[in-house]
Amino acid sequence: YRDRREVLLDKGEMRFRVAPDMDRAFTVATAWGRVRVLGTVFSVSARAGQMRVEVAEGRVAVWPADHMAAPSPVTLTTGDAIEADQRGLGTPVRVPTDSVAAWRNGWLVFNNTPLDQVLGQWNDYLARPLLLGSHPRLKQLRLSGSFPLRQPQAFLAGLPDMLPVRVQRNATGDVTVEL
């Protein structure tokens, strides 16, 4: 647009390097919130019913999808991250700046990440999705670590050593993580 720059992120993850332009604000919108750039390098992901914003450099302002419920944004600076879902914005947390959009360098980095979100992120890169079993405790399991993006089979082979799970492959080749 003549007076603004907008991105609508429906699903997936993007990394942005944006030069400040006071005459043309840069905004990223997802179903769970909105991010306005204040001159920065950052990533936004939209998956598994939530949005996650991580800042590598600079500052961004973040609103929940229902910005009327929170008219003032949360400002994130270098090394900050925040998640938003249908309930609104979470609490900002610190992240290593080198882990922001680490997928660009061939890595998936998780920091106390729920297992269903870990599998969802892997699924962005796999032809056949990894499935999470139905046991409710599976959603409570969390994982931290860095994994080479080009080695999903190594990740799956090591997962039972990291968490109390088993990886099952059925006759059609589907992979399910079970308790």
Side-chain angles (χ1 to χ4, degrees):
Y1 300 97
R2 193 170 290 170
D3 62 343
R4 66 191 186 277
R5 300 168 287 170
E6 294 181 354
V7 173
L8 175 60
L9 180 60
D10 184 48
K11 182 179 173 187
E13 183 170 356
M14 296 183 76
R15 182 176 194 253
F16 301 93
R17 178 180 296 273
V18 180
D21 182 343
M22 297 308 287
D23 296 326
R24 294 180 60 229
F26 185 92
T27 304
V28 179
T30 73
W32 305 278
R34 185 168 52 102
V35 181
R36 182 171 181 200
V37 174
L38 306 172
T40 190
V41 177
F42 69 105
S43 71
V44 178
S45 65
R47 66 169 66 83
Q50 71 176 27
M51 170 182 79
R52 182 173 177 88
V53 179
E54 297 180 343
V55 181
E57 298 173 17
R59 299 180 316 137
V60 298
V62 182
W63 289 265
D66 180 10
H67 66 275
M68 299 306 278
S72 297
V74 172
T75 300
L76 303 179
T77 60
T78 301
D80 287 340
I82 196 167
E83 293 179 351
D85 60 18
Q86 73 277 4
R87 297 171 300 210
L89 293 177
T91 303
V93 297
R94 298 293 295 165
V95 295
T97 56
D98 59 349
S99 74
V100 176
W103 48 267
R104 293 182 67 231
N105 296 318
W107 291 87
L108 290 181
V109 178
F110 306 106
N111 184 16
N112 199 29
T113 306
L115 183 57
D116 60 338
Q117 291 178 28
V118 169
L119 298 183
Q121 200 162 342
W122 273 106
N123 287 342
D124 288 347
Y125 304 96
L126 301 174
R128 295 184 73 121
L130 302 174
L131 306 171
L132 187 65
S134 60
H135 197 289
R137 276 197 3 203
L138 286 166
K139 291 189 182 244
Q140 297 171 358
L141 297 176
R142 302 177 90 73
L143 182 70
S144 294
S146 300
F147 305 94
L149 189 53
R150 295 188 190 274
Q151 299 178 3
Q153 294 309 319
F155 166 76
L156 288 171
L159 190 58
D161 294 331
M162 295 177 271
L163 294 174
V165 297
R166 63 183 193 273
V167 177
Q168 296 185 311
R169 191 175 310 268
N170 69 16
T172 63
D174 291 333
V175 176
T176 303
V177 176
E178 297 280 356
L179 273 181

PDB file of all heavy atoms in Angstrom, residues 15 17 41 100-107 125 149:
ATOM      1  N   ARG A  15      11.155 -14.919   8.529  1.00  0.00           N
ATOM      2  CA  ARG A  15      12.120 -14.019   9.177  1.00  0.00           C
ATOM      3  C   ARG A  15      12.158 -12.747   8.349  1.00  0.00           C
ATOM      4  O   ARG A  15      12.189 -12.800   7.123  1.00  0.00           O
ATOM      5  CB  ARG A  15      13.501 -14.652   9.222  1.00  0.00           C
ATOM      6  CG  ARG A  15      14.523 -13.778   9.929  1.00  0.00           C
ATOM      7  CD  ARG A  15      15.860 -14.509  10.021  1.00  0.00           C
ATOM      8  NE  ARG A  15      16.763 -13.887  10.952  1.00  0.00           N
ATOM      9  CZ  ARG A  15      17.826 -13.192  10.586  1.00  0.00           C
ATOM     10  NH1 ARG A  15      18.100 -13.004   9.316  1.00  0.00           N
ATOM     11  NH2 ARG A  15      18.615 -12.679  11.500  1.00  0.00           N
ATOM     12  N   ARG A  17      13.863  -8.725   7.844  1.00  0.00           N
ATOM     13  CA  ARG A  17      14.832  -7.662   8.124  1.00  0.00           C
ATOM     14  C   ARG A  17      14.200  -6.418   7.517  1.00  0.00           C
ATOM     15  O   ARG A  17      14.070  -6.316   6.300  1.00  0.00           O
ATOM     16  CB  ARG A  17      16.183  -7.939   7.498  1.00  0.00           C
ATOM     17  CG  ARG A  17      17.193  -6.823   7.741  1.00  0.00           C
ATOM     18  CD  ARG A  17      18.548  -7.107   7.121  1.00  0.00           C
ATOM     19  NE  ARG A  17      19.184  -8.260   7.698  1.00  0.00           N
ATOM     20  CZ  ARG A  17      19.952  -8.254   8.800  1.00  0.00           C
ATOM     21  NH1 ARG A  17      20.160  -7.123   9.430  1.00  0.00           N
ATOM     22  NH2 ARG A  17      20.499  -9.368   9.236  1.00  0.00           N
ATOM     23  N   VAL A  41      15.267  -7.024  13.021  1.00  0.00           N
ATOM     24  CA  VAL A  41      15.323  -8.365  12.440  1.00  0.00           C
ATOM     25  C   VAL A  41      14.575  -9.268  13.403  1.00  0.00           C
ATOM     26  O   VAL A  41      14.910  -9.316  14.592  1.00  0.00           O
ATOM     27  CB  VAL A  41      16.776  -8.867  12.266  1.00  0.00           C
ATOM     28  CG1 VAL A  41      16.787 -10.277  11.725  1.00  0.00           C
ATOM     29  CG2 VAL A  41      17.566  -7.929  11.367  1.00  0.00           C
ATOM     30  N   VAL A 100      17.069 -17.315  16.912  1.00  0.00           N
ATOM     31  CA  VAL A 100      15.951 -16.710  16.193  1.00  0.00           C
ATOM     32  C   VAL A 100      16.068 -17.082  14.715  1.00  0.00           C
ATOM     33  O   VAL A 100      17.067 -16.787  14.066  1.00  0.00           O
ATOM     34  CB  VAL A 100      15.935 -15.180  16.367  1.00  0.00           C
ATOM     35  CG1 VAL A 100      14.825 -14.558  15.521  1.00  0.00           C
ATOM     36  CG2 VAL A 100      15.761 -14.812  17.838  1.00  0.00           C
ATOM     37  N   ALA A 101      15.036 -17.765  14.213  1.00  0.00           N
ATOM     38  CA  ALA A 101      15.004 -18.237  12.820  1.00  0.00           C
ATOM     39  C   ALA A 101      16.230 -19.085  12.499  1.00  0.00           C
ATOM     40  O   ALA A 101      16.807 -18.989  11.414  1.00  0.00           O
ATOM     41  CB  ALA A 101      14.865 -17.066  11.849  1.00  0.00           C
ATOM     42  N   ALA A 102      16.622 -19.951  13.432  1.00  0.00           N
ATOM     43  CA  ALA A 102      17.787 -20.822  13.226  1.00  0.00           C
ATOM     44  C   ALA A 102      17.600 -21.757  12.039  1.00  0.00           C
ATOM     45  O   ALA A 102      18.575 -22.257  11.483  1.00  0.00           O
ATOM     46  CB  ALA A 102      18.068 -21.626  14.498  1.00  0.00           C
ATOM     47  N   TRP A 103      16.355 -21.982  11.614  1.00  0.00           N
ATOM     48  CA  TRP A 103      16.085 -22.822  10.455  1.00  0.00           C
ATOM     49  C   TRP A 103      16.794 -22.294   9.221  1.00  0.00           C
ATOM     50  O   TRP A 103      17.122 -23.045   8.314  1.00  0.00           O
ATOM     51  CB  TRP A 103      14.581 -22.955  10.203  1.00  0.00           C
ATOM     52  CG  TRP A 103      13.836 -21.656  10.224  1.00  0.00           C
ATOM     53  CD1 TRP A 103      13.211 -21.092  11.294  1.00  0.00           C
ATOM     54  CD2 TRP A 103      13.644 -20.740   9.140  1.00  0.00           C
ATOM     55  NE1 TRP A 103      12.646 -19.888  10.954  1.00  0.00           N
ATOM     56  CE2 TRP A 103      12.900 -19.644   9.633  1.00  0.00           C
ATOM     57  CE3 TRP A 103      14.031 -20.741   7.810  1.00  0.00           C
ATOM     58  CZ2 TRP A 103      12.530 -18.563   8.845  1.00  0.00           C
ATOM     59  CZ3 TRP A 103      13.670 -19.654   7.020  1.00  0.00           C
ATOM     60  CH2 TRP A 103      12.926 -18.590   7.539  1.00  0.00           C
ATOM     61  N   ARG A 104      17.083 -20.987   9.184  1.00  0.00           N
ATOM     62  CA  ARG A 104      17.798 -20.420   8.033  1.00  0.00           C
ATOM     63  C   ARG A 104      19.210 -20.988   7.922  1.00  0.00           C
ATOM     64  O   ARG A 104      19.798 -21.011   6.854  1.00  0.00           O
ATOM     65  CB  ARG A 104      17.866 -18.903   8.152  1.00  0.00           C
ATOM     66  CG  ARG A 104      16.505 -18.254   8.020  1.00  0.00           C
ATOM     67  CD  ARG A 104      16.588 -16.745   8.082  1.00  0.00           C
ATOM     68  NE  ARG A 104      17.293 -16.250   6.924  1.00  0.00           N
ATOM     69  CZ  ARG A 104      18.323 -15.399   6.990  1.00  0.00           C
ATOM     70  NH1 ARG A 104      18.753 -14.969   8.140  1.00  0.00           N
ATOM     71  NH2 ARG A 104      18.910 -14.981   5.886  1.00  0.00           N
ATOM     72  N   ASN A 105      19.746 -21.427   9.059  1.00  0.00           N
ATOM     73  CA  ASN A 105      21.090 -22.005   9.086  1.00  0.00           C
ATOM     74  C   ASN A 105      21.050 -23.527   9.204  1.00  0.00           C
ATOM     75  O   ASN A 105      22.061 -24.152   9.519  1.00  0.00           O
ATOM     76  CB  ASN A 105      21.891 -21.417  10.245  1.00  0.00           C
ATOM     77  CG  ASN A 105      22.100 -19.929  10.074  1.00  0.00           C
ATOM     78  OD1 ASN A 105      22.380 -19.454   8.982  1.00  0.00           O
ATOM     79  ND2 ASN A 105      21.929 -19.179  11.148  1.00  0.00           N
ATOM     80  N   GLY A 106      19.870 -24.129   8.982  1.00  0.00           N
ATOM     81  CA  GLY A 106      19.755 -25.578   8.969  1.00  0.00           C
ATOM     82  C   GLY A 106      19.525 -26.217  10.329  1.00  0.00           C
ATOM     83  O   GLY A 106      19.807 -27.405  10.498  1.00  0.00           O
ATOM     84  N   TRP A 107      18.997 -25.463  11.294  1.00  0.00           N
ATOM     85  CA  TRP A 107      18.766 -26.000  12.641  1.00  0.00           C
ATOM     86  C   TRP A 107      17.346 -25.714  13.099  1.00  0.00           C
ATOM     87  O   TRP A 107      16.763 -24.690  12.755  1.00  0.00           O
ATOM     88  CB  TRP A 107      19.730 -25.365  13.643  1.00  0.00           C
ATOM     89  CG  TRP A 107      21.131 -25.803  13.429  1.00  0.00           C
ATOM     90  CD1 TRP A 107      22.048 -25.244  12.586  1.00  0.00           C
ATOM     91  CD2 TRP A 107      21.780 -26.919  14.038  1.00  0.00           C
ATOM     92  NE1 TRP A 107      23.221 -25.938  12.633  1.00  0.00           N
ATOM     93  CE2 TRP A 107      23.092 -26.974  13.518  1.00  0.00           C
ATOM     94  CE3 TRP A 107      21.388 -27.882  14.960  1.00  0.00           C
ATOM     95  CZ2 TRP A 107      24.002 -27.942  13.894  1.00  0.00           C
ATOM     96  CZ3 TRP A 107      22.299 -28.845  15.341  1.00  0.00           C
ATOM     97  CH2 TRP A 107      23.587 -28.875  14.811  1.00  0.00           C
ATOM     98  N   TYR A 125       8.818 -29.226   7.424  1.00  0.00           N
ATOM     99  CA  TYR A 125       9.908 -29.620   6.531  1.00  0.00           C
ATOM    100  C   TYR A 125       9.807 -31.066   6.038  1.00  0.00           C
ATOM    101  O   TYR A 125      10.673 -31.503   5.303  1.00  0.00           O
ATOM    102  CB  TYR A 125      11.254 -29.430   7.242  1.00  0.00           C
ATOM    103  CG  TYR A 125      11.412 -28.012   7.724  1.00  0.00           C
ATOM    104  CD1 TYR A 125      11.092 -27.667   9.037  1.00  0.00           C
ATOM    105  CD2 TYR A 125      11.831 -27.016   6.860  1.00  0.00           C
ATOM    106  CE1 TYR A 125      11.209 -26.357   9.464  1.00  0.00           C
ATOM    107  CE2 TYR A 125      11.942 -25.708   7.283  1.00  0.00           C
ATOM    108  CZ  TYR A 125      11.625 -25.385   8.588  1.00  0.00           C
ATOM    109  OH  TYR A 125      11.729 -24.086   9.010  1.00  0.00           O
ATOM    110  N   LEU A 149      18.351 -29.760  10.826  1.00  0.00           N
ATOM    111  CA  LEU A 149      17.120 -29.836  10.046  1.00  0.00           C
ATOM    112  C   LEU A 149      17.146 -30.954   9.007  1.00  0.00           C
ATOM    113  O   LEU A 149      16.128 -31.561   8.719  1.00  0.00           O
ATOM    114  CB  LEU A 149      16.910 -28.487   9.352  1.00  0.00           C
ATOM    115  CG  LEU A 149      15.608 -28.228   8.656  1.00  0.00           C
ATOM    116  CD1 LEU A 149      14.418 -28.474   9.568  1.00  0.00           C
ATOM    117  CD2 LEU A 149      15.581 -26.809   8.143  1.00  0.00           C
TER     118      LEU A 149
END
